[in-house]
Amino acid sequence: LTEAQAATASTVTRELRNGAGHYALLVATLHGGGTERVVATLAAQWRAAGHDVVVITTVAKPAGSPDDFPLPPDVTRVDLAATFEHRSRWGRVAALAGLLWRLRGALRELRRWHIVSFGDVTNVLALLAGLGLGLRISVAERTDPGALQRLPRSFVLLRRWLYRLADHVIAQTESAAQWLRRECRCDAVVLPNPLRSLPAAAPLGGRERVVLAVGRLDRLKGVDTVLRAFAMARTADAHGWRLVVLGHGPEEVALRTLANE
């Protein structure tokens, strides 16, 4: 980050951490990967710091399945449990309307809280449900919207309008922030993921020359770029190194083919 960008990010971090002391984290589910882990990490850290924390999930989890990222017992969990699978088009519209109604009711009870929403669809729903309630709402984009546009057109148009109403619009990279500033006319700030304390690793003896890539194997993660970059490096000055990719997802077969090439 530039010095100015770092200063802005520091200001936003300070506002989020030292605000009213009441935080509601809004996310689709606690099943999955990076977004859910960040929500659980922030909830635990803010609760440990003495803040009141509520985590609101919008989409019903599979029956009988635990959360991938459990929350501390003193963090309140509200599950709005909307279901969209196996529904007709109008059934999905009705489910969305019901979710907005329940979400607005939940947000109305949190007027003095700071709402922090995660994910493009969830962000739009949070800002839409919060219209007229006088809430403080910060929204965090978790992907680069300029690199992969996956929203329905109606949500694209709503995002362009609603993001201007948010207290903060948070991006993970400068390229994503630039896209949001240009397309949504909002003052997006770059705020990287929080760091977690990890247990000390046991001594392993010798070291290996390994580059490790971990993540979901889909287009969003850019594993194909990692493979191509490593292939280029091996032709230069990186002999003796290995690339190890850990993950699963819809692009696995294509990525294995690319790795062989």
Side-chain angles (χ1 to χ4, degrees):
L1 303 182
T2 67
E3 186 173 339
Q5 291 166 347
T8 303
S10 178
T11 299
V12 173
T13 303
R14 192 162 54 249
E15 289 180 14
L16 289 175
R17 191 175 56 220
N18 301 324
H22 307 284
Y23 299 99
L25 305 179
L26 183 61
V27 67
T29 72
L30 287 177
H31 290 272
T35 299
E36 296 78 9
R37 183 190 297 278
V38 167
V39 169
T41 298
L42 287 175
Q45 292 295 323
W46 280 344
R47 187 68 195 101
H51 302 300
D52 295 323
V53 180
V54 169
V55 173
I56 302 174
T57 52
T58 59
V59 179
K61 64 181 180 179
S65 62
D67 292 332
D68 289 334
F69 303 101
L71 301 171
D74 52 353
V75 169
T76 302
R77 168 76 179 279
V78 177
D79 187 6
L80 301 181
T83 56
F84 298 94
E85 293 184 359
H86 311 300
R87 289 177 179 263
S88 66
R89 178 181 178 182
W90 290 112
R92 292 193 296 272
V93 170
L96 184 61
L99 172 59
L100 277 171
W101 181 260
R102 295 194 301 277
L103 179 57
R104 185 172 178 83
L107 295 181
R108 187 180 286 113
E109 299 297 321
L110 302 170
R111 287 179 185 268
R112 297 184 180 181
W113 293 54
H114 195 133
I115 314 299
V116 187
S117 177
F118 294 81
D120 43 22
V121 171
T122 307
N123 295 342
V124 169
L125 295 177
L127 292 167
L128 198 59
L131 286 175
L133 296 181
L135 297 167
R136 297 179 62 200
I137 302 179
S138 297
V139 296
E141 278 280 343
R142 300 297 303 170
T143 61
D144 188 340
L148 181 62
Q149 186 60 263
R150 60 178 184 176
L151 286 178
R153 179 164 175 76
S154 57
F155 275 81
V156 170
L157 297 174
L158 283 169
R159 177 170 61 183
R160 288 178 178 172
W161 169 52
L162 291 170
Y163 272 24
R164 305 172 196 178
L165 307 179
D167 283 73
H168 306 108
V169 176
I170 300 166
Q172 290 189 276
T173 65
E174 181 57 27
S175 63
Q178 288 178 359
W179 188 94
L180 291 166
R181 294 170 193 144
R182 182 177 66 253
E183 298 295 329
C184 301
R185 300 290 192 270
C186 61
D187 188 18
V189 60
V190 178
L191 197 61
N193 284 338
L195 297 178
R196 297 178 297 123
S197 297
L198 298 175
L204 298 177
R207 297 172 62 88
E208 293 185 62
R209 292 185 170 188
V210 174
V211 175
L212 178 64
V214 183
R216 192 171 63 252
L217 302 183
D218 65 16
R219 290 176 54 207
L220 217 60
K221 299 303 182 181
V223 180
D224 59 325
T225 302
V226 176
L227 293 172
R228 291 188 175 93
F230 189 76
M232 293 170 62
R234 288 183 65 232
T235 63
D237 191 27
H239 293 291
W241 286 80
R242 293 189 301 127
L243 171 62
V244 177
V245 177
L246 296 181
H248 59 83
E251 294 293 308
E252 181 174 347
V253 173
L255 290 171
R256 286 185 181 275
T257 299
L258 180 59
N260 290 332
E261 292 174 358

